[in-house]
Amino acid sequence: MANKTLNLDDGLYAYLHRVSLREPAVLRQLREVTEQEREHASMRSAPEQGQFMAMLLGLIGARRVIEVGTFTGYGTLWMAQALPDDGEIITCDVSERWTFVARRFWEQAGVLPKVRLELRPALETLDALLAQGEAGSFDFAFIDADKVNYDGYFERCLRLVRPGGIVAVDNVLWGGSVVDETNQDESTEAIRAFNLKLADDARIELSMLPVADGLTLAVKRPVGADAG
Ligand code: CA
């Protein structure tokens, strides 16, 4: 089977940005600030991925979004800008340091009224939303946090989104380590198990995109939908 996905070298990747990236100035500034944090910069979403998710939100008419893993709020800002004025994004993180940066840029971009930051373990926030009867009330969820909890985040987010809603999951190719059998790191193993589980999960329509570090899209099927 021939590999039909191009390897993007730096030149081709720069070209892709040059001819397709429409990153607003405030997002570019936030990206540049995040990139100065060298050791953590890889945690930020790729700009073309942020733009793609913003487009997805528009396509499905999203109004309510959950994000698991805020970091400096770059992905949050892409999504918040794509939501209508009465839209809401609930974003979960445990880091005051990073979300402090995030808040500054959300304010500058004028999206602060649409963003609800939950500073506590995301599993707690998701469980609280479910306990409050919020199942099926979200249009989109984006999971991009600690990999060992991916399955727990996914199961909760799948309940929280409506049928036809999307759960997007980042880093599913994990730098390619998913196919490196010598790599038995806890996060790598968690991502492998997660990917394998979704492969034949009848509750969702599935697509894994080789964008950035790998992005899985799971569209929630109506309950009782034919699994075929
Ligand atoms: Ca990520």
Side-chain angles (χ1 to χ4, degrees):
M1 184 168 61
N3 182 354
K4 297 294 185 190
T5 299
L6 274 178
N7 252 329
L8 295 185
D9 61 19
D10 289 350
L12 197 51
Y13 186 61
Y15 173 82
L16 181 152
H17 279 184
R18 212 156 55 235
V19 298
S20 75
L21 189 62
R22 299 177 176 183
E23 187 181 39
V26 61
L27 274 154
R28 194 188 68 241
Q29 286 163 27
L30 174 52
R31 180 159 60 89
E32 285 164 2
V33 164
T34 308
E35 275 164 6
Q36 284 158 16
E37 301 287 343
R38 293 195 171 279
E39 61 197 297
H40 299 287
S42 64
M43 286 166 62
R44 175 197 38 80
S45 310
E48 69 278 15
Q49 181 176 325
Q51 182 172 304
F52 173 65
M53 292 202 303
M55 179 185 271
L56 272 183
L57 296 191
L59 284 171
I60 67 169
R63 205 183 67 76
R64 296 192 81 204
V65 173
I66 312 167
E67 181 184 46
V68 180
T70 313
F71 189 40
T72 59
Y74 180 77
T76 324
L77 184 46
W78 268 111
M79 291 190 281
Q81 291 203 332
L83 293 176
D85 287 344
D86 68 343
E88 177 185 42
I89 177 164
I90 297 175
T91 184
C92 311
D93 210 289
V94 290
S95 166
E96 295 216 23
R97 178 182 167 201
W98 297 125
T99 53
F100 179 80
V101 177
R103 221 187 273 263
R104 185 155 59 86
F105 281 90
W106 297 337
E107 187 158 29
Q108 190 184 325
V111 301
L112 205 49
K114 293 189 239 179
V115 181
R116 187 170 121 200
L117 173 63
E118 292 282 351
L119 267 181
R120 55 175 165 158
L123 289 175
E124 286 178 20
T125 299
L126 300 175
D127 281 338
L129 289 168
L130 287 166
Q132 289 157 20
E134 301 265 13
S137 72
F138 289 84
D139 305 291
F140 191 90
F142 180 50
I143 299 171
D144 185 15
D146 54 309
K147 311 312 170 195
V148 291
N149 280 315
Y150 260 25
D151 190 54
Y153 297 145
F154 180 81
E155 285 303 319
R156 288 161 178 80
C157 286
L158 192 61
R159 289 178 61 196
L160 286 165
V161 300
R162 61 170 168 86
I166 299 174
V167 181
V169 188
D170 198 29
N171 301 107
V172 289
L173 295 177
W174 205 222
S177 61
V178 284
V179 290
D180 174 4
E181 285 171 13
T182 65
N183 188 327
Q184 289 167 5
D185 173 80
E186 198 182 9
S187 297
T188 309
E189 294 281 20
I191 290 175
R192 279 190 195 117
F194 176 75
N195 287 340
L196 207 57
K197 171 182 152 170
L198 260 57
D200 56 7
D201 189 331
R203 300 171 299 173
I204 55 167
E205 306 288 340
L206 179 65
S207 193
M208 183 188 272
L209 305 176
V211 60
D213 195 27
L215 178 70
T216 280
L217 299 180
V219 179
K220 182 176 178 175
R221 285 177 166 160
V223 178
D226 187 80

